[in-house]
Amino acid sequence: MLGAETTDCDSPISLINATFKWIDDNLKDKIDFVIWTGDSARHDNDEQIPRTVEQVTSLNRMLVNKFVEVFGKEENINDTDPTNDFIIPIIPTWGNNDILPHNILAKGPNPWTKTYLDIWRKFIPEEQRHSFERGGWFYVEVIPNKLAVLSLNTLYFFDSNAAVDGCADPFEPGYQHLEWLRIQLQFLRQRGMKAILMGHVPPARTESKMSWDETCWQRYTLWVHQFRDVVVGSVYGHMNIDHFMLQDSHDLDLLSILGTNQPREGINIGDEMNAQSAASYLTELRSEWSHLPRLPKANLRKENKRKQGNEHAKEEKLLKNIGGPWGERYSLSLVSPSVIPNYFPSLRVIEYNITNAESHSQTSTTSKAIVDGRQRTMLEFCRATDGEEQNENLGMANLCNHAMDGSFDNKAKKPKFKIPSGPSKSSPPGPAYSPQTFSWLGYTQYYANLTEINDDFTNGMVTRVMNEGVVGSGWKEGKHHGKHPKKKSKPSPRDFKFEIEYDTRDDNIFGLKDLTVKSYVTLAGRIGRYKPGKGDRVSAQTVNERPNAQAPECHDISQSGKKHKKKKKHRKHRKHEKRKAINRVWFTFVARAFVGSRDDNDLHDEFGQPVEFLQDS
């Protein structure tokens, strides 16, 4: 009735209708604006029923109509101003399945940008329709003169889009899009405004996997770093797994920005992840986070400030490694799971600080930033900073080393790349780093337990341990594959509802006091610990083991990031095997990544380690 959870099936119309009705009944009057991260058309999974242009566009029009039903102003729907039709702003963006063929979007203007200009006309401010038709990007001032949401067309950054070629060539739409983003962030800085960035495909990047072209990732990371006084945060979808990622400004490289480096080797993440590819990706994230410095706890930090000598110096060194006391070396991207029931359908509501929002001045703390907002060439920037700003940020130092090492001595080789200036040194850290007006305070993650709601199976089957059936074709048949439904004349689902999966504000495991970058850097460091402290350990557990089974190989990733392969000894007639207490923050992270749809024993098998394998580690 309401969708087949943990499968590759798309959302049925019944699930869409139920979701919007629940929002109408429970959230409509409690939210200020909606960020719609794309992929509203069905996936191209069924070769026997290929998608058509009419189907893709009609599904998107249907979603617009659902937003009108819930958030529309009845008295304004048919007036002459299509942007005055809603009680709150709705900001959409492109998904890679909102076009045909999926993933492929050529430079605009093109038939797709013109089509979506018509479909989304109610959402796009009139003065931005020309630029939207050109490239599919726009922004909305969700709080006029104070806060804007910038809708990015990430398909021009997407490494799977064969119709474009990165962001280094000025003729490429990705380059032009990021120039638009830079200009908008500059204007917002000058006006004293703040910005939320949103898109479909996130800037995922691990040691062996990537979703964006490297030149796009490099330029984007530089932009959000230099405009960290403007950007509140960024949100994405596409991957369907609940997680976050950090962009490290120390990875900036001028040759990569200019596209003169050899292309970065990595597996293109491509389409949405299944359980197998997601496990590999999440494990790589953890491996990278294992190298983050272990920051002192807040109470110890206060004590250390009163201490002299080595302890205080050690703390200062740790903070310097993350870009100072606010963690300004990094920027943050949040990735939300989907209503599509790859796992369980989900929604996220973010709460932000509105203290002094009414009196938030357009010129507050920005007079110096306006002066410093000019662009400078790389050589001008490096000479003007005279090493001081470079030394504070290794990423800036890397860029300057390339610009001034003699590689660009002649005019033909000098890079024309211009770098925007960063925040004024006299201005406070931005809202993504220091709690202030518009900073994100926390979020509530909702999910709909379709197993219980559909009520299709006999008692006991809902909680039965089942491995997800991933067959050779790549089709995920889900945890109910092979089960027999109840014998009844017609379906009788329970009442549809979204429940709270977790709330970051009262979550004792993640312990996020807010959604600032520093909080997430601390959390990432805890997730990455292979030998966690006592407070972050899972209590020892036992899991069933098949008798006479040859135990699988186990790989424990050490803090150095290297894999150590150890083999289980063959045992006979052993019914149970103890599992060593593993990092409960990591365990919770992967459980939430799959929206609680996977069994704990299954997660222990995939992400935990048996006791004996770690005794000598």
Side-chain angles (χ1 to χ4, degrees):
M1 286 291 292
L2 292 167
E5 72 277 24
T6 72
T7 71
D8 283 340
C9 293
D10 284 296
S11 302
I13 301 300
S14 57
L15 176 58
I16 296 171
N17 290 336
T19 296
F20 274 95
K21 184 179 186 307
W22 187 89
I23 292 172
D24 194 8
D25 294 340
N26 296 275
L27 290 180
K28 176 180 177 179
D29 299 323
K30 301 176 183 178
I31 54 180
D32 299 331
F33 53 92
V34 175
I35 290 175
W36 173 14
T37 57
D39 261 10
S40 302
R42 75 173 179 89
H43 292 73
D44 204 5
N45 289 332
D46 195 334
E47 295 180 357
Q48 296 182 4
I49 311 176
R51 302 191 309 163
T52 65
V53 171
E54 172 59 28
Q55 186 181 74
V56 169
T57 55
S58 64
L59 286 170
N60 272 276
R61 292 186 191 278
M62 183 194 73
L63 264 293
V64 171
N65 291 335
K66 298 305 295 186
F67 278 110
V68 170
E69 287 179 18
V70 176
F71 297 106
K73 296 179 182 177
E74 292 184 7
E75 66 278 10
N76 289 350
I77 290 299
N78 296 315
D79 65 10
T80 57
D81 181 6
T83 60
N84 190 35
D85 290 347
F86 297 94
I87 59 175
I88 59 173
I90 313 292
I91 307 96
T93 194
W94 303 74
N96 61 306
N97 288 291
D98 292 325
I99 52 178
L100 196 69
H102 83 294
N103 297 342
I104 308 301
L105 182 67
K107 184 178 181 178
N110 61 51
W112 285 110
T113 60
K114 294 176 182 178
T115 296
Y116 278 96
L117 177 59
D118 179 60
I119 295 174
W120 293 340
R121 183 169 293 272
K122 298 177 185 296
F123 306 129
I124 302 170
E126 183 175 2
E127 65 276 10
Q128 295 184 60
R129 290 175 188 165
H130 176 73
S131 63
F132 181 87
E133 185 176 354
R134 178 188 174 195
W137 49 72
F138 71 103
Y139 73 88
V140 174
E141 294 189 19
V142 292
I143 303 179
N145 300 314
K146 295 179 173 65
L147 179 65
V149 175
L150 280 67
S151 177
L152 306 181
N153 182 358
T154 56
L155 299 187
Y156 286 148
F157 311 149
F158 194 24
D159 203 41
S160 294
N161 184 0
V164 297
D165 188 19
C167 299
D169 187 332
F171 293 99
E172 284 293 328
Y175 176 99
Q176 295 166 4
H177 188 6
L178 285 171
E179 280 299 285
W180 173 87
L181 175 60
R182 177 188 60 76
I183 292 169
Q184 302 313 314
L185 292 174
Q186 180 59 50
F187 284 159
L188 294 174
R189 174 186 278 170
Q190 292 175 354
R191 295 174 60 193
M193 293 180 62
K194 305 302 178 187
I196 295 171
L197 308 183
M198 54 96 59
H200 181 66
V201 181
R205 182 180 185 267
T206 62
E207 182 179 359
S208 70
K209 297 177 177 62
M210 55 196 293
S211 59
W212 286 13
D213 181 273
E214 178 68 6
T215 59
C216 302
W217 186 94
Q218 288 277 337
R219 198 170 291 245
Y220 171 85
T221 299
L222 178 58
W223 273 203
V224 293
H225 179 73
Q226 292 299 93
F227 289 102
R228 60 191 182 276
D229 56 324
V230 178
V231 176
V232 176
S234 59
V235 291
Y236 296 92
H238 179 65
M239 298 176 76
N240 294 335
I241 53 174
D242 180 353
H243 70 298
F244 65 94
M245 55 190 69
L246 299 170
Q247 288 79 53
D248 186 353
S249 64
H250 284 199
D251 289 338
L252 291 172
D253 178 80
L254 179 60
L255 297 181
S256 295
I257 292 174
L258 297 174
T260 57
N261 253 352
Q262 288 292 326
R264 183 175 182 269
E265 293 184 4
I267 299 172
N268 182 358
I269 291 176
D271 290 342
E272 296 79 0
M273 290 184 156
N274 58 32
Q276 290 177 327
S277 60
S280 173
Y281 165 74
L282 293 172
T283 300
E284 281 195 12
L285 275 183
R286 187 192 189 193
S287 177
E288 292 184 359
W289 293 343
S290 69
H291 301 291
L292 289 170
R294 299 190 180 188
L295 301 176
K297 294 183 179 179
N299 57 344
L300 293 178
R301 192 176 304 121
K302 292 179 181 178
E303 293 177 7
N304 285 348
K305 285 184 177 180
R306 296 191 292 268
K307 294 180 181 180
Q308 302 295 323
N310 293 336
E311 291 186 6
H312 182 69
K314 182 179 180 181
E315 179 191 352
E316 290 298 313
K317 183 178 180 180
L318 288 173
L319 293 176
K320 186 176 181 179
N321 286 340
I322 65 167
W326 307 106
E328 291 180 281
R329 166 179 167 179
Y330 298 95
S331 55
L332 171 69
S333 298
L334 301 182
V335 183
S336 300
S338 173
V339 174
I340 297 173
N342 292 118
Y343 305 111
F344 284 133
S346 61
L347 301 169
R348 177 173 295 181
V349 177
I350 297 175
E351 182 176 324
Y352 61 99
N353 190 339
I354 58 171
T355 304
N356 301 321
E358 291 298 323
S359 60
H360 185 71
S361 171
Q362 293 186 43
T363 57
S364 62
T365 72
T366 60
S367 57
K368 289 288 184 66
I370 294 173
V371 174
D372 292 342
R374 63 189 181 279
Q375 279 196 100
R376 293 175 282 188
T377 66
M378 276 302 306
L379 291 175
E380 289 171 342
F381 171 83
C382 297
R383 288 166 180 161
T385 53
D386 197 27
E388 181 180 355
E389 187 171 344
Q390 302 166 34
N391 290 333
E392 291 180 0
N393 188 304
L394 180 60
M396 295 295 102
N398 289 340
L399 296 181
C400 287
N401 287 339
H402 283 302
M404 303 185 73
D405 66 358
S407 299
F408 302 100
D409 283 343
N410 60 68
K411 290 184 179 180
K413 291 185 178 180
K414 280 186 179 179
K416 297 179 180 179
F417 175 66
K418 292 186 176 182
I419 182 171
S421 291
S424 167
K425 291 187 178 181
S426 63
S427 65
Y433 299 90
S434 172
Q436 58 191 266
T437 306
F438 303 134
S439 292
W440 290 349
L441 303 174
Y443 66 79
T444 304
Q445 191 68 38
Y446 294 92
Y447 79 109
N449 189 331
L450 291 187
T451 306
E452 294 184 356
I453 294 170
N454 284 327
D455 190 26
D456 284 334
F457 300 100
T458 55
N459 292 336
M461 279 192 170
V462 169
T463 56
R464 179 182 168 190
V465 178
M466 293 289 295
N467 291 324
E468 295 186 13
V470 182
V471 296
S473 65
W475 177 263
K476 186 169 63 175
E477 295 177 309
K479 65 181 182 180
H480 301 309
H481 177 59
K483 295 181 182 178
H484 299 288
K486 294 178 180 178
K487 293 181 179 179
K488 48 189 177 182
S489 57
K490 61 180 180 178
S492 56
R494 298 185 174 102
D495 290 340
F496 181 86
K497 64 178 179 178
F498 280 93
E499 307 171 67
I500 294 177
E501 182 191 6
Y502 65 96
D503 189 321
T504 62
R505 286 154 293 192
D506 58 15
D507 175 18
N508 294 327
I509 298 178
F510 277 10
L512 291 168
K513 64 178 183 179
D514 52 38
L515 303 186
T516 57
V517 172
K518 175 73 171 299
S519 294
Y520 272 97
V521 171
T522 302
L523 174 61
R526 292 170 60 211
I527 290 172
R529 294 179 190 174
Y530 294 99
K531 293 183 179 180
K534 291 183 179 180
D536 285 346
R537 294 178 186 170
V538 175
S539 59
Q541 301 187 20
T542 59
V543 295
N544 290 330
E545 182 186 44
R546 290 172 296 167
N548 299 320
Q550 176 67 45
E553 296 177 351
C554 176
H555 295 82
D556 176 38
I557 305 176
S558 69
Q559 291 187 10
S560 66
K562 296 180 179 179
K563 291 184 178 180
H564 302 290
K565 188 165 101 175
K566 304 180 182 180
K567 290 188 177 181
K568 267 187 177 180
K569 295 179 180 178
H570 181 75
R571 294 185 190 84
K572 293 185 178 181
H573 309 293
R574 184 85 175 262
K575 292 184 178 180
H576 295 85
E577 177 186 17
K578 282 190 175 182
R579 308 287 290 190
K580 181 176 175 64
I582 62 173
N583 185 330
R584 71 167 183 160
V585 189
W586 161 242
F587 187 83
T588 301
F589 177 69
V590 295
R592 290 174 177 174
F594 302 110
V595 199
S597 65
R598 296 184 61 180
D599 183 83
D600 280 0
N601 288 340
D602 183 23
L603 292 176
H604 273 294
D605 286 342
E606 188 155 17
F607 298 103
Q609 300 87 30
V611 172
E612 65 179 280
F613 292 156
L614 300 182
Q615 288 177 343
D616 299 327
S617 62

